[in-house]
Structures are given as structure tokens and as C-alpha cells.
Amino acid sequence: MILRISIAKTRAEVLRCQYFIAEIYNRHYQIMFSEDGHDLDARIEPYPQKYLMGTVDGLLVCAFGLYTRNTYVERYGGLTDEEVLGQLEEAGVADRYVGATRRELTKLVVRDGWESFGLARMILNAAHSRMFCEGDWDGDGRPVLLLICGKVSIIERFWAPKGPVRARYLAPFPRYPVHSEYRSEKDPMQSRLIIPDVDIPAALRELTLPVELEITARAPKVGG
Amino acid sequence: MDLVGQVGDTLTPQDPAERLSKLRVELLPIDLIVQWRRCSKMADFLAGYFEYHFEDRPVAAQVLSTGLNELIENLAKFSANKQKPVSIEINHYGELLTVTTENEAARPQTTALRARLARMATTDPEELFLEQLEHTASSDRAASGLGLINLKKDYGARLAAEIRAVPDDPERFVVSLQLELNVDAIERG
Ligand SMILES: Nc1ncnc2c1ncn2[C@@H]1O[C@H](COP(=O)(O)OP(=O)(O)OP(=O)(O)O)[C@@H](O)[C@H]1O
Ligand SMILES: [Mg+2]
């Protein structure tokens, strides 16, 4: 089978991604979405502005979003400029990212019944392509820094050490009641920073989209 | 406990011949999840459609919209299958206005609704309101659980549900929830 990963371009493609993400997020986390205002306590979240979609024979099987502005991490994570600057200085690239715009990879979903193909990892890796996450979507030509936020267990599974992209620790994510059933003491939520120049391997960063990948179902793990 | 059957307040029997107006809307819950503001837009639209029956139109529209919004949000949140159509029906009988919603719900939500309506039918709404406030404060939950209680406390609404079995699925139920309001309570705000 062939998985085709492409950037959602038409209004119909964007709507398909929104319905797909909303259905799954609502079922798992009781989240609602709105384009006219958000409210974390009421579980109402804004949509990403850009989507990467994975299709098999035209069926949408996975999707991933990008906040090109007003990131979750900045709105709710209490992220400070100093925390970001500190990481940039440590990486020795602060001069290259002056006035950088911050974007956030978010809302990774896989269709029910398609969990055994490793789709999440494939679309997540492809999202680090310059064409998607660093596209000049807002037309201001500024350099791009990437943010992510999530449980440490998830971050460390998809990004380094198990994944190919490094995600630098920024700060603990504040506690909100909506996350209380999701996070735990043992598995807290964090905000992380990805510096594209340094943290994304060239092969991923220069990946051309759309891309087609052969997929096969993994054998189920012994004992689960 | 068997969930199926009638629960809640005793509603006033209505003579269909006395009905002045009727409006029925069918929609997919997923559309509300995808754009949550559609709940309040639909509530405002329906309230605006019925406000002509009242002398104080702004107050009536406000009260109707509040009540409808609560029921519509519940349809979105508690429908078991978000792709299955749900309905909202409003009838105006001159002295009374009724709103009936119908959706399918899973067992836990249906059980909670049944317990809530049974309790509301026998307990003073002010007392339930305070009790629920305390419960929410101590439970770290996002939903306040006050939606239906408020309709009763603020507008003297009567609330009842008819719960039916879904053939071939013992974990799903059809919930037909009915809200009854006196027209003078709607206008008083
Ligand atoms: N249409 C419905 N179908 C199935 N269950 C429902 C429906 N409406 C309400 N319920 C059940 O009744 C409970 C009480 O509803 P209510 O609207 O008072 O509170 P809530 O929606 O949980 O919180 P809030 O309205 O304050 O956001 C709900 O938690 C849910 O379990
Ligand atoms: Mg409610």
C-alpha cells in the first residue's frame, strides 16, 4: 500500500482534516473546536492554520497540524522570550533567529484501525520538511522556530531519543483541569523547542512534498 | 436499574389543536464539535424565530437562547455517535412553549441524566444548585454540571425525558428530552 503525504491545499482538504481531527480529539479528550474564540477551561480549542494529510487510495488515514501563529505553547504555556533565547544561545544560533516567528506542530491523529502501520511516525517526521513547517505561509519571510508541547512519554517516543529530530526542553507546561486525566506526576507535560537549522536532519528538512511511502502492517508485539 | 422509561417532572398534556407554531431542526453533532459557536448561533436563530410571540422580544429572545443553547450543547456533548443526526423541535401552545431534543446516548450519560432528572423532580433547584457547585469545586472537572439545574432554577422550567432502548445495542439509548416553559416566565427573564 502507498501512503501519500501532502499539504492540505483546497478548502475541501482543510475541512476534511478539521472534521477528522475534531472527531478524534472529541472522542478521546472531549475537546471542541472553534474559529471564533477559544477557552481552555471550556475545552474549546482553535484550529491549526495548516495541515499535513496522509491518504491511502484517497482515504484520509492520518493528519498533523501547524499553528503558524498564536501557538498553544505561547497562549497557555506561559512561554517567555528569555526561555527561547536561552536555548538559541546555547545552540550558538541566536543571531540567525532574530525576530523569528514561532510555530507549533499539533494535533497528530491516526484513523481507527490504522494504528499498526507506523503512520504517526511517518507523518510526524514529514512535517519537519521545510516545505510544510517553514513555508512562508504568513508572507513575512521571517525565520521559523518550532514549538511542541505534550507528555514527556510521547515527546521522547516521536522526537529524540527515539525519533530523528531533537526537541529542546523549554519549560514545564502549567497545570489545567482539562489535562488532569491525561497528564500525571510520572508523565508531566512540557513545552519544547526545535531549532530547524540545528535539530532537524537535512534529509527530513529538505524532503519534498507530496511524498509517497510504501507501508506495511507491523506484526503485533508479543505480549501486547 | 432499568434505564428505559419516563423520568423527571410531570409535563402538561398538550392538545395538538392548540398549537400555534412548530419548528423542527435536524443536524449532525459533529458539525457542532467542529465549530462550537454553531451551538449559540443555532440557539440565537431559533430564539429569534420565536421571539415574535412575545411582547418583550429582547428579553424573550435572551431567555430562549439561553435555554436552547444549553440543550444544543448537551446534544453535541452527549450524543454517542457524532455522525448520527439529532433533532430539536420547538412547539408554541400559547400559554406554554416546549423544546424537545432527541439523540442517542451511551449508558453512562443516560444513567447520569436519569439520576439528575429524578433528583431534580423532587428537590428544590436552589438546593441542588449549591450541592452541585460544591461537587464541581472538589472534583477538578471542566463541566459545571449546572446546565439543566439552572434552567429550572432561573426560569422555573419543567424537564422530563423519555428513554428508549436501541434495538440490538444494549449500551445505547434514545434520549428524548423535553423542556417546558410558561410563556410569562420567558418574558420575565
Ligand atoms: N441530551 C443528553 N443525552 C444524554 N445525556 C445527557 C443529555 N443531556 C444531559 N445529559 C446528562 O445529564 C448530565 C447533566 O447535564 P447538564 O447539562 O446539567 O450538565 P453538563 O452538561 O454536564 O455540564 P454544563 O451544562 O454545566 O456544562 C450530563 O452530565 C449528562 O451526563
Ligand atoms: Mg450541559
Side-chain angles (χ1 to χ4, degrees):
Chain A
M1 266 189 296
I2 301 293
L3 173 72
R4 183 175 196 272
I5 300 178
S6 60
I7 298 169
K9 291 257 167 72
T10 67
R11 189 64 197 149
E13 287 173 342
V14 167
L15 278 175
R16 288 232 172 273
C17 289
Q18 291 183 339
Y19 272 73
F20 186 45
I21 289 171
E23 197 277 321
I24 293 178
Y25 263 70
N26 184 261
R27 186 148 41 86
H28 290 286
Y29 312 117
Q30 293 78 51
I31 300 280
M32 281 78 79
F33 287 85
S34 173
E35 269 168 333
D36 316 290
H38 48 82
D39 177 348
L40 192 57
D41 289 329
R43 294 180 180 261
I44 303 166
E45 295 202 2
Y47 280 109
Q49 287 86 7
K50 290 286 158 192
Y51 301 89
L52 197 58
M53 50 197 274
T55 54
V56 172
D57 287 334
L59 177 71
L60 186 59
V61 291
C62 56
F64 201 19
L66 182 73
Y67 289 128
T68 62
R69 52 186 175 274
N70 304 330
T71 65
Y72 200 80
V73 172
E74 289 166 292
R75 265 183 287 115
Y76 300 120
L79 182 67
T80 64
D81 290 345
E82 288 67 39
E83 283 162 341
V84 175
L85 190 62
Q87 287 298 333
L88 289 172
E89 281 172 349
E90 197 183 305
V93 294
D95 51 333
R96 270 188 266 166
Y97 285 96
V98 176
T101 184
R102 293 172 200 162
R103 295 181 178 167
E104 181 175 343
L105 291 166
T106 183
K107 312 282 181 283
L108 178 65
V109 290
V110 171
R111 183 177 289 276
D112 285 0
W114 288 78
E115 295 84 1
S116 61
F117 292 89
L119 301 177
R121 191 174 291 280
M122 285 184 224
I123 196 166
L124 182 132
N125 286 346
H128 294 83
S129 156
R130 188 198 291 278
M131 286 179 77
F132 180 62
C133 65
E134 293 178 76
D136 188 16
W137 305 119
D138 293 327
D140 58 12
R142 292 196 289 163
V144 171
L145 288 168
L146 289 177
L147 300 168
I148 56 168
C149 103
K151 288 193 294 190
V152 172
S153 62
I154 304 272
I155 294 174
E156 293 187 345
R157 177 143 63 100
F158 288 108
W159 284 272
K162 289 197 183 149
V165 178
R166 175 168 177 191
R168 299 161 190 262
Y169 174 80
L170 280 172
F173 199 81
R175 301 182 150 278
Y176 291 96
V178 294
H179 298 137
S180 60
E181 287 148 46
Y182 175 70
R183 64 189 292 168
S184 66
E185 291 303 328
K186 272 208 195 132
D187 197 1
M189 286 174 72
Q190 293 181 350
S191 301
R192 300 270 190 119
L193 174 72
I194 299 165
I195 307 173
D197 268 353
V198 200
D199 297 334
I200 305 175
L204 274 188
R205 199 165 180 223
E206 304 309 331
L207 178 73
T208 308
L209 297 171
V211 64
E212 296 197 339
L213 304 167
E214 177 79 39
I215 57 168
T216 44
R218 287 180 305 232
K221 277 186 211 143
V222 177
Chain B
M1 180 182 71
D2 196 3
L3 286 177
V4 171
Q6 195 75 30
V7 59
D9 296 321
T10 309
L11 304 182
T12 320
Q14 292 310 320
D15 179 356
E18 295 292 308
R19 181 166 71 190
L20 299 174
S21 311
K22 165 184 164 153
L23 181 63
R24 188 185 145 86
V25 176
E26 208 176 85
L27 55 84
L28 299 182
I30 188 68
D31 285 330
L32 305 176
I33 302 293
V34 161
Q35 293 291 350
W36 193 245
R37 272 281 286 279
R38 283 180 172 147
C39 295
S40 61
K41 287 196 174 187
M42 179 59 74
D44 285 346
F45 168 74
L46 296 173
Y49 188 91
F50 277 91
E51 70 175 50
Y52 298 99
H53 286 317
F54 300 88
E55 268 169 47
D56 192 338
R57 283 168 51 182
V59 168
Q62 173 61 40
V63 171
L64 287 174
S65 172
T66 305
L68 284 162
N69 189 58
E70 183 47 44
L71 299 185
I72 293 168
E73 287 191 0
N74 283 356
L75 280 176
K77 288 192 289 184
F78 305 119
S79 285
N81 179 350
K82 310 288 189 214
Q83 263 91 11
K84 189 158 193 165
V86 299
S87 66
I88 309 153
E89 182 173 319
I90 306 172
N91 286 290
H92 193 293
Y93 295 96
E95 311 292 323
L96 288 174
L97 179 141
T98 63
V99 182
T100 310
T101 63
E102 193 162 295
N103 63 291
E104 262 183 45
R107 183 179 289 274
Q109 283 70 36
T110 312
T111 307
L113 177 70
R114 199 188 162 92
R116 173 59 52 92
L117 290 177
R119 189 94 210 285
M120 280 169 63
T122 54
T123 314
D124 174 43
E126 299 281 349
E127 189 184 322
L128 270 184
F129 176 82
L130 294 176
E131 190 182 298
Q132 182 63 26
L133 266 190
E134 274 176 31
H135 177 76
T136 308
S138 67
S139 73
D140 204 25
R141 283 261 328 269
S144 73
L146 287 173
L148 299 178
I149 294 172
N150 276 340
L151 295 183
K152 213 161 170 178
K153 179 173 82 65
D154 297 343
Y155 311 121
R158 290 165 304 277
L159 274 160
E162 186 199 330
I163 300 169
R164 303 193 300 274
V166 170
D168 303 327
D169 192 345
E171 293 308 309
R172 294 264 168 107
F173 300 87
V174 177
V175 172
S176 176
L177 184 72
Q178 191 161 341
L179 171 78
E180 184 182 287
L181 290 159
N182 292 348
V183 291
D184 51 353
I186 296 174
E187 215 147 13
R188 240 183 289 123

